[in-house]
Amino acid sequence: MKLVMAVIKPFKLDEVRQALTDIGIQGMTVTEVKGYGRQKGHTEIYRGAEYEVTFVPKLKIEVVVPSASVDKVIETISSVAKTGQIGDGKIFVLGIDQSIRIRTGETDEDAL
Amino acid sequence: MKLVMAVIKPFKLDEVRQALTDIGIQGMTVTEVKGYGRQKGHTEIYRGAEYEVTFVPKLKIEVVVPSASVDKVIETISSVAKTGQIGDGKIFVLGIDQSIRIRTGETDEDAL
Amino acid sequence: MKLVMAVIKPFKLDEVRQALTDIGIQGMTVTEVKGYGRQKGHTEIYRGAEYEVTFVPKLKIEVVVPSASVDKVIETISSVAKTGQIGDGKIFVLGIDQSIRIRTGETDEDAL
Amino acid sequence: MKRTAYTLAAALGGLALGTLLLTGAAYAQTPPAPTLSFNKADDAWMMISTALVLMMTVPGLALFYGGMVRGKNMLSMITQVLAIQCIVCVVWFLWGYSLAFTEGSGLLAPFVGGLSKAFLSGVEIASKVETFSLGVGIHELVFVCFQMTFAAITTALAIGGFAERTKFSAIVLFAILWPTLVYFPIAHMVWFWPGPSGIATGVATDTAGFSWQLGALDFAGGTVVHINAGIAGFVGALLLGRRVGFGKEAMPPHSLTLTMVGASLLWVGWFGFNAGSNLEANEYAVLAMANTFIATAAAGLSWMFTEWLVKGKPSLLGLASGVVAGLVAVTPASGFGGPMGTLVLGLVAGIVCFFFCTAVKSALGYDDTLDVFGVHAVGGIVGALGTGIVVDPALGGAGIVDYTKCEVANGAFTGVCGALDYNMVSQVIIQAKAVLMTLAWSGIGSFIVYLIIGVLVGLRVSEETEREGLDIGAHGERAYNQ
Amino acid sequence: MKRTAYTLAAALGGLALGTLLLTGAAYAQTPPAPTLSFNKADDAWMMISTALVLMMTVPGLALFYGGMVRGKNMLSMITQVLAIQCIVCVVWFLWGYSLAFTEGSGLLAPFVGGLSKAFLSGVEIASKVETFSLGVGIHELVFVCFQMTFAAITTALAIGGFAERTKFSAIVLFAILWPTLVYFPIAHMVWFWPGPSGIATGVATDTAGFSWQLGALDFAGGTVVHINAGIAGFVGALLLGRRVGFGKEAMPPHSLTLTMVGASLLWVGWFGFNAGSNLEANEYAVLAMANTFIATAAAGLSWMFTEWLVKGKPSLLGLASGVVAGLVAVTPASGFGGPMGTLVLGLVAGIVCFFFCTAVKSALGYDDTLDVFGVHAVGGIVGALGTGIVVDPALGGAGIVDYTKCEVANGAFTGVCGALDYNMVSQVIIQAKAVLMTLAWSGIGSFIVYLIIGVLVGLRVSEETEREGLDIGAHGERAYNQ
Amino acid sequence: MKRTAYTLAAALGGLALGTLLLTGAAYAQTPPAPTLSFNKADDAWMMISTALVLMMTVPGLALFYGGMVRGKNMLSMITQVLAIQCIVCVVWFLWGYSLAFTEGSGLLAPFVGGLSKAFLSGVEIASKVETFSLGVGIHELVFVCFQMTFAAITTALAIGGFAERTKFSAIVLFAILWPTLVYFPIAHMVWFWPGPSGIATGVATDTAGFSWQLGALDFAGGTVVHINAGIAGFVGALLLGRRVGFGKEAMPPHSLTLTMVGASLLWVGWFGFNAGSNLEANEYAVLAMANTFIATAAAGLSWMFTEWLVKGKPSLLGLASGVVAGLVAVTPASGFGGPMGTLVLGLVAGIVCFFFCTAVKSALGYDDTLDVFGVHAVGGIVGALGTGIVVDPALGGAGIVDYTKCEVANGAFTGVCGALDYNMVSQVIIQAKAVLMTLAWSGIGSFIVYLIIGVLVGLRVSEETEREGLDIGAHGERAYNQ
Ligand SMILES: Nc1ncnc2c1ncn2[C@@H]1O[C@H](COP(=O)(O)OP(=O)(O)O)[C@@H](O)[C@H]1O
Ligand SMILES: Nc1ncnc2c1ncn2[C@@H]1O[C@H](COP(=O)(O)OP(=O)(O)O)[C@@H](O)[C@H]1O
Ligand SMILES: Nc1ncnc2c1ncn2[C@@H]1O[C@H](COP(=O)(O)OP(=O)(O)O)[C@@H](O)[C@H]1O
């Protein structure tokens, strides 16, 4: 099993979720994060005090999938989350040793 | 060392933390996340505009533990976080290469 | 490639980001988290109802870097985020199988 | 609770209500109105007072209460308050005003009015009602509106006792039944009287309100509003039982910012409530304002300093609660006491309410969500009894007005009225009787109302809804998105 | 839209404006003012009413609207409202008051005033204007301020139609041009008349406002404020097009808490709006207050219960929208109807507006961000037509005042005025004509205003700014930091 | 700072205070009160004005300030404001009113009053004070309340200079000592005078307030409230030093939404402040209202447009700050200037304050957390000097009233008063002197107060508490949970 961790633009969430569901992914976990990268932030000024806001809002999607599905998942996210503009985000893949579904105690791929 | 990453129902946090403390775990990191899975969300209607809210609030707990403790930790979380109803959550285990405690520079199991 | 995951004190973020930029790191992802550890929380009282707040606010920084840079990154974070007081946080290192830049489709180290 | 028990009680309750309305309807009649002088300044003052009391409820109380609940129940809390404001407004115009402020009949006359003014029949554009000054009138419709806002806020106050777990349909029914069975009668008992002209011309007072006949003093509604709401909320809290997780999970207020805003707007609006209750913009209204400042400030500080001493830190929730406790306590005394007397009354109220909301509450273990008992019932009782003390002219109070001795010239109130002899001990005893009457009627009446609601729609949401939050569960909306 | 089309239209519009101002300036003259009696209570009432209407706009409307937008546009929303309040205030003092409330000249006279009081020239500290009572005056400066708050809130209401996508520079221009071309003329048409003294002494009424000459009734601005703002917002919504993601992405209100606070403050402030529109603290102001309570409560409930039936859950946004719909609908009727009539008016308004904001809106697919059409235009039309019904004395209404039959003694208004014969059908027809006039003028005038703005600075922000949010994009600030 | 230095200064300060109180107590005496006519409309107006000024402080100022601090200090900010409101209220009733508004004795008489009315002794229910119209009175208790709200808001304004780092115990002491040593004397200097009757009958004016004797004009408190608070806050900011991380870490306002709400409520309430300061509901109150509209709108816009030009974007914080700057600047001029004059005054104030809050502040590097210096002191000075200009009848101002020439008939103020000859240059010089007096007294007095507090409890929290936030550190609560 692999953990596919994707950082995307927030307004793409619903499309990505839909696309993943369409290829049979049944679960994922999403976190609001702040990203730093090539995409520049902006300047905020409060009564003369200027702040360089270097972080931009992003969403992090974590999906654990059977190793066999990794490529399809990457492809799906890549194509749907892409706008072609700086800041579209990244996908990282990590190895997973075990999975457990708390409700039933099922393990590994059964738990996904 | 392993990273045990559990997604649970928010109101279970205090019990889980207590149970982990009881088996000797001294640190953990918790993130508010939104989960998508078998547990259905709900519909919200704002002046006629209906939104299917497919994500439900969850908490993600991350605990890094010596490999030897992994089973005990999984068991503890599993039993305490379980309500038996859909949406109880998952536990994933990942491998950890190194750990460092910033304050002291201690590494690996000493750093936990 | 490795994922360096650091839990630090919130007010250290800007310094850490700056220091990482200085050593050539061009991207990172930050999450607001709650930490449990040796650093104690505090008590809140609302009209006689006392709550022990055991979690303290922390920031989690995730940076994916080429394996070769890991040590430098750890060192940088360690030195900048350190105040010497309990609660300075931890650094964990995980292995990364793949990286993809969504915008361009570049992979692995090119994607960072 | 058993459904069968409910059914029986509801049937009885319904019967009682029906009878009450009918008898009222059958015999109600009002004495011929005296010719009243009129000053636009009084109408202006009463209109603005009315708007201020509306502001106390929405957004004031909605925020004060809403800030204290958890985020998942915020929307439900403020929806309930706004819905109550709307429902009670309609109910008041249809039959509430009549039940509270017309003469009843038969044995029930001292307890509830009739239906002669139901649907505001007979309330014309030019109709006036007499103020507390002989021969001085204000237009009746502004009095109708002003008193409506009291009925609404009292009903909204009560639901604080069982917040975060009650069905919305139960709240809707409550907003219809509770005022009808409990509030309108108590308002009638305390505030229905023949007016200065009636007293001066010696009309019979045997159909006046029960508490008024006792001689109880309640300037702006200590018994009618606060003790009444406090007991109703308390009975509801006991009947519904504790919230899921109470005592185990942390349930901190989701926004003390909003609670502070609410407390502040309550204070601002309370000048309409207290000084407006004088019905005229004269020196007694001004006195009520001064007392509403000093007692409130004193109670806020006494709660805060007590908490600082006892718990180690002065909290905002404590300070704001003290402010509200002071407002509650000074309500019945506001137009009667002197500033130095009410300052002391405020100090006492802050400490006593602190004690009830912390020590007593945790000792007894009931889950009165927003401390409507500890603040409103207890503060109201302190105020009602204290009124008997601070009204004493020897302590700087205004004494009890002798309405046969007020002078009016050119349609304007010309000076301070004469005062009756004052006996503090006997007045405090009278005050205690009025408190007991309120406790009894409100306690029993509210109990009956809950039984009826329980039978009709049930009181409490499912555990699942309670966990998820009433916002989504009952209203399909969230208070905040991001 | 094409820039060239814009340019042409703007040139024409500018020309028209210039002419209008010039002709006004050239011939304007006012009749000699009658000697007016004065009661401090009226000034006091008008000052507080004015403050209340300011509170409706800031913070009331800012929160009502702001709560409904997404968090990333919150700051932009409330900045726009506050800026409009400031701009319209200045514009009003400089030329708006004069265009609305002085006599115009020539053929345009029934449609717009002149510039004789531009820069408040001739408005002295001691100047008075006549109220609706023969010979009764209030100080002119308070009338100037009171009416200014109406111009400001109307302009701010309109922008709800195209929220979350408009350039701030466009809003600034809108706040200057729209009142000048649309609001001031419509206010003139409805409210400029010779006053009771003029009527009683039989002065010529051919330079009075167009709608007033028709005989249309609009107590507090149903046409001037609500239909007008509703249409302007609607035209803007159509011209600017839908928001990016509309219909695809979820766009839930970021804080219904704030929306509820806004709705509450609107209600509280609306007593200044409606009862203040009586210009005097007498029984008609009191009547306006009573109607503003009951119609509002009824509309809130009828929307809520309809939604509960149709959609399965009673929502806060529904209840709050109903409250506002009720306030809108009762506005033109508030000083004329009887409480039972306006109760029904409120019930109808709540249901009709619900229907327009849900079924009609989604059927037609326009993106009127904050439903300024569904609530203000539709509610305003229901109210304007309904006014023709509820004013009927046979239904408990106050009838139409015959200003030649009001009595005044000692400078004070002494009683209810005489009433003209009332014909409901013909009055409803007159009301319909006034509605149509408003629809036409506001629709066309607003269209011209948008064209001019489009040429000068453009109306809509870039898609990127819209995605990121107007807060950062237009103001370099965020509403919330954590 | 050294503890020893503190101790000495505190001892001296205490001594001075004691003497001041004693001498005041020993000799104070008031002249026999004239018979005053009374109009209920004035009491009504003053009551509502008082409620409005309370609303300025809580929740207005609490939100305006609270929104600008970081989330971790929000609860502490609003707790401080509410606690100050309570403490100053009690202090005012006990000795503040007497020190400000009774005659002092000996050399100190022009600087501070006596203790003859301490504990409100002699302030009866029927007591009246004279307004600015000959022979016209309002009830003294409403004057007491009205003036109390001024003392409270001034004290609360001052703490903005050293927000986010001050101990709560220090704030509590500040709320007792600062009004006593600084505010009450300055209020006495500016506003204690023999009244129209005194002037008309030629009583000696050598015990009148120092600034009043100078001939300085301050309608509603430009010197007393704004310059005073601004300097006090500034001195505090310098003494306490910068916040941890100032200039290095980002410290954005946690909720500009709340700041905007606060600014709006300040504007709404300011009509009570300015128009209420007229003490009567007549044309001068109306004038004050008009000026408070136009100057405020102008200043909001001039700040916004200046920022737009200079910084590239028009910000909400800028607009809101401009609004407050305009309110501050127009305060002393509100009842004197004409609308076109105060419009210009507002434009100037917005630009000057912008310059001070941005360029000057960052050049000098002081950490005046909420810009109480840049907005209140600077805006106050612009207003105080500008008052000398706009009051000129040649510029549409009201001139200076000649109280020997006001007419009263039937107890009502009958018309515009006569005016003294006006010399703009000499008046501006007088205004400058009054400003300097305020700067000196407030600067030195505040310094002494901080020294005393430093000795008694210390001024600043630990760095750790500052990092964690004062909410948890000082109050054990958080403003928001989720
Ligand atoms: N090395 C990295 N480690 C972790 N997250 C990263 C890294 N680089 C980029 N990110 C995340 O990806 C987001 C997008 O990256 P950015 O460089 O802005 O644009 P692009 O995806 O077009 O290269 C960043 O905001 C950040 O959250
Ligand atoms: N494949 C997955 N990858 C990551 N997170 C998942 C995955 N499947 C489920 N989750 C997380 O677990 C939560 C619970 O899953 P769900 O299917 O709703 O119920 P259950 O745990 O009973 O199977 C989800 O809300 C989501 O946060
Ligand atoms: N075993 C662990 N797994 C995951 N996170 C941990 C673990 N131990 C500590 N942390 C994180 O590190 C933070 C700091 O740890 P703490 O024990 O308080 O202080 P220190 O870093 O000085 O040892 C905690 O708040 C928590 O977020």
Side-chain angles (χ1 to χ4, degrees), chain B residues 13 17 21 26-32 60 62 64 94-103 111-112, chain C residues 2 5 31 33-38 54-55 60 74 78 82 84-86 88-94:
Chain B
L13 176 64
R17 184 195 52 73
T21 314
Q26 291 179 350
M28 70 193 75
T29 300
V30 176
T31 315
E32 286 173 17
K60 180 170 81 176
E62 288 167 306
V64 177
L94 291 86
I96 288 280
D97 295 356
Q98 298 180 45
S99 293
I100 298 97
R101 185 194 307 278
I102 294 174
R103 171 164 51 94
L112 302 182
Chain C
K2 297 286 176 188
M5 171 170 143
T31 316
V33 297
K34 292 177 184 170
Y36 175 77
R38 277 168 193 76
T54 46
F55 290 94
K60 182 169 79 177
I74 291 177
S78 288
K82 182 175 190 156
Q85 286 184 306
I86 286 183
D88 275 350
K90 319 264 155 157
I91 303 174
F92 302 118
V93 182
L94 292 84

Side-chain angles (χ1 to χ4, degrees), chain C residues 42-47 49-51 53, chain D residues 256 307 311-316, chain F residues 75 469-479 481:
Chain C
H42 58 266
T43 305
E44 294 178 15
I45 309 186
Y46 296 98
R47 267 196 197 155
E50 295 197 24
Y51 303 120
V53 176
Chain D
L256 287 178
E307 191 181 36
K311 303 271 175 184
K313 282 181 180 165
S315 75
L316 173 59
Chain F
L75 187 130
L470 275 60
D471 295 0
I472 297 296
H475 306 286
E477 287 178 333
R478 276 182 295 169
N481 284 288

Side-chain angles (χ1 to χ4, degrees), chain A residues 5 7-9 33-40 54-58 84-92, chain C residues 2-4 25-30 62-65 100-104 106 111-112:
Chain A
M5 172 170 142
V7 178
I8 63 166
K9 291 192 167 166
V33 297
K34 292 176 186 171
Y36 175 78
R38 278 168 194 74
Q39 186 189 356
K40 289 294 148 252
T54 45
F55 290 93
V56 290
K58 299 278 169 196
Q85 287 183 305
I86 287 184
D88 275 350
K90 319 264 155 154
I91 304 174
F92 303 118
Chain C
K2 297 286 176 188
L3 166 64
V4 180
I25 301 296
Q26 292 179 350
M28 70 193 76
T29 301
V30 176
E62 287 167 306
V63 213
V64 177
V65 292
I100 297 97
R101 185 193 307 276
I102 294 174
R103 172 165 50 94
T104 57
E106 287 162 290
L112 302 183

Side-chain angles (χ1 to χ4, degrees), chain D residues 104-148:
Chain D
S105 59
L107 285 181
L108 278 173
F111 301 99
V112 69
L115 288 174
S116 59
K117 291 191 178 174
F119 295 79
L120 295 192
S121 93
V123 180
E124 307 294 335
I125 297 175
S127 306
K128 295 195 194 102
V129 294
E130 197 175 19
T131 68
F132 299 102
S133 302
L134 195 61
V136 175
I138 55 172
H139 283 104
E140 185 167 11
L141 270 175
V142 75
F143 182 71
V144 170
C145 292
F146 182 66
Q147 287 293 341
M148 178 275 291

